Amino acid sequence: MINNVYNVKTVFSIKDLENLSGIKAHTIRIWEKRYNVLQPMRSDTNIRNYDLQSLQKLLNVVLLNDYGYKISRIAEHSTEKIELLVREIISEKSTKNHAINAFKMAMINFDQALFFNTYNSLLSEKSFRDVFYEIVIPLMQEIGLLWQAGTITPAQEHFITFLIKQKLLLNTEKLQILEPTKTDKVYVLYLPENEIHELGLMYLNYEILLNGYKTIYLGESVPIESLKDMKKYFDTIVYVSYLTVEPTKDAINNYIEEITTNIIDSNSRVCFLGRMIEFIDTNNISDKISVYNSISDLVEEL
């Protein structure tokens, strides 16, 4: 039972359900009217609202439907039977969606136990790397959209992000105690000033370490002057940065020019990833500046 002292969101609009389940509001209404799959609450002005139990049921119904069950058949079952069917059919085909839904429910409820139970269940069958690529990266992409749509709060986003960071740090530490096997260059990972979204960068740090290189992780909001300082300690440097919201689209090309002037030389290059790279003028990209559309693109080149 959820303790309301935590002020957890317990009432959802049909738009929230659409955002969380991926099923159009129109379809949800049809499922309600024709099959009585959900029983919405009604406001004084007759607007549909849904509780957490309805959200969980819808996520389970969607999973069964994706697995081949017809809505008419699903609707014949009780909520308890639907939950049982979901547990029975969890397989390689459906694990991803089930896990992502479980993580979303953990986020909405601020439920650490559900997060850890789901994560440990995944880890019993998959490597940490597979869990991150198959589950966590799609999850974080969804969370970004849910936050933009107002379906979840910044607090919920921070909650789930922190738990994921914990797992990243634990797995990264296991690699940091090992001596690098490749010593021709050092990777310096950082975020530009005012950029605080570091989950992608943290995972890149893990991947680069896994590939045998030494990394220096500087983290969020690093001024260019601090990047210049690294040249005092290392000869050949590859700087890696993840641009999610900073620099803004209006400032990013000036930033690239500053990096080119102050950081790049014969022994240094820079790699950029993240949402803001689409605003980089291609004229500013040289053989010393690489732009990657995804983490996997960069990892393939290691």
Side-chain angles (χ1 to χ4, degrees):
M1 185 64 66
I2 298 165
N3 189 336
N4 287 328
V5 70
Y6 295 118
N7 198 27
V8 174
K9 183 174 181 177
T10 57
V11 178
F12 302 87
S13 68
I14 196 165
K15 189 65 178 177
D16 289 335
L17 262 61
E18 177 180 283
N19 291 334
L20 287 160
S21 69
I23 301 298
K24 294 293 184 184
H26 174 70
T27 302
I28 295 173
R29 291 190 188 99
I30 290 174
W31 288 0
E32 283 176 14
K33 186 174 181 180
R34 189 174 299 170
Y35 302 109
N36 201 32
V37 169
L38 299 177
Q39 293 78 44
M41 304 173 286
R42 297 278 184 172
S43 70
D44 294 339
T45 55
N46 206 34
I47 295 174
R48 286 176 172 85
N49 287 308
Y50 303 82
D51 58 17
L52 278 167
Q53 288 70 32
S54 294
L55 171 59
Q56 180 66 74
K57 183 177 181 181
L58 178 62
L59 293 174
N60 285 336
V61 167
V62 171
L63 189 144
L64 291 176
N65 187 236
D66 288 344
Y67 200 75
Y69 284 74
K70 293 183 178 180
I71 291 297
S72 56
R73 179 183 171 193
I74 299 170
E76 295 172 355
H77 300 305
S78 66
T79 299
E80 291 74 18
K81 176 64 174 178
I82 289 172
E83 291 174 354
L84 179 62
L85 287 172
V86 167
R87 287 195 294 271
E88 287 176 350
I89 66 163
I90 295 303
S91 65
E92 191 64 35
K93 180 177 179 180
S94 60
T95 292
K96 176 181 174 181
N97 288 338
H98 178 72
I100 288 176
N101 286 341
F103 281 137
K104 284 193 286 192
M105 291 303 296
M107 173 182 63
I108 289 167
N109 292 330
F110 295 98
D111 189 339
Q112 294 180 105
L114 178 56
F115 174 89
F116 289 125
N117 288 337
T118 303
Y119 175 82
N120 290 333
S121 176
L122 288 169
L123 211 60
S124 68
E125 300 177 0
K126 300 174 180 287
S127 68
F128 170 75
R129 193 170 183 268
D130 287 341
V131 169
F132 207 93
Y133 267 113
E134 295 174 21
I135 311 295
V136 176
I137 290 177
L139 172 69
M140 295 311 297
Q141 290 170 341
E142 276 199 48
I143 287 172
L145 297 173
L146 293 172
W147 181 82
Q148 289 176 3
T151 300
I152 62 172
T153 66
Q156 289 167 323
E157 180 191 19
H158 289 308
F159 169 78
I160 196 78
T161 299
F162 175 75
L163 294 176
I164 294 169
K165 284 181 180 179
Q166 280 185 310
K167 296 304 179 185
L168 264 173
L169 289 169
L170 285 170
N171 284 275
T172 299
E173 184 180 2
K174 296 174 185 176
L175 300 175
Q176 287 174 317
I177 62 174
L178 305 175
E179 285 295 321
T181 57
K182 300 173 183 176
T183 57
D184 58 312
K185 54 195 167 190
V186 169
Y187 283 83
V188 173
L189 294 92
Y190 79 98
L191 298 179
E193 290 186 89
N194 301 316
E195 176 64 80
I196 59 172
H197 296 82
E198 63 176 335
L199 196 59
L201 193 73
M202 290 176 67
Y203 184 69
L204 277 168
N205 189 42
Y206 169 82
E207 281 282 2
I208 295 168
L209 286 166
L210 189 64
N211 277 272
Y213 290 101
K214 179 179 180 65
T215 67
I216 307 297
Y217 190 87
L218 301 182
E220 61 190 53
S221 202
V222 178
I224 288 178
E225 201 60 36
S226 295
L227 300 179
K228 289 172 67 175
D229 287 342
M230 301 308 298
K231 296 173 180 290
K232 301 173 185 176
Y233 305 98
F234 304 103
D235 294 329
T236 305
I237 301 175
V238 178
Y239 295 90
V240 179
S241 192
Y242 209 104
L243 316 178
T244 302
V245 296
E246 292 287 343
T248 63
K249 63 180 181 180
D250 295 327
I252 192 165
N253 286 296
N254 287 337
Y255 181 77
I256 299 298
E257 289 174 10
E258 284 189 66
I259 288 289
T260 301
T261 302
N262 293 286
I263 301 302
I264 291 175
D265 56 32
S266 59
N267 293 321
S268 302
R269 56 184 287 256
V270 185
C271 302
F272 289 115
L273 302 90
R275 195 181 304 158
M276 301 310 295
I277 64 169
E278 66 174 293
F279 301 108
I280 297 176
D281 187 336
T282 54
N283 293 324
N284 287 328
I285 298 175
S286 67
D287 60 345
K288 290 288 187 175
I289 295 180
S290 301
V291 175
Y292 298 90
N293 292 320
S294 68
I295 289 173
S296 58
D297 286 348
L298 190 152
V299 170
E300 284 176 9
E301 288 192 8
L302 293 174

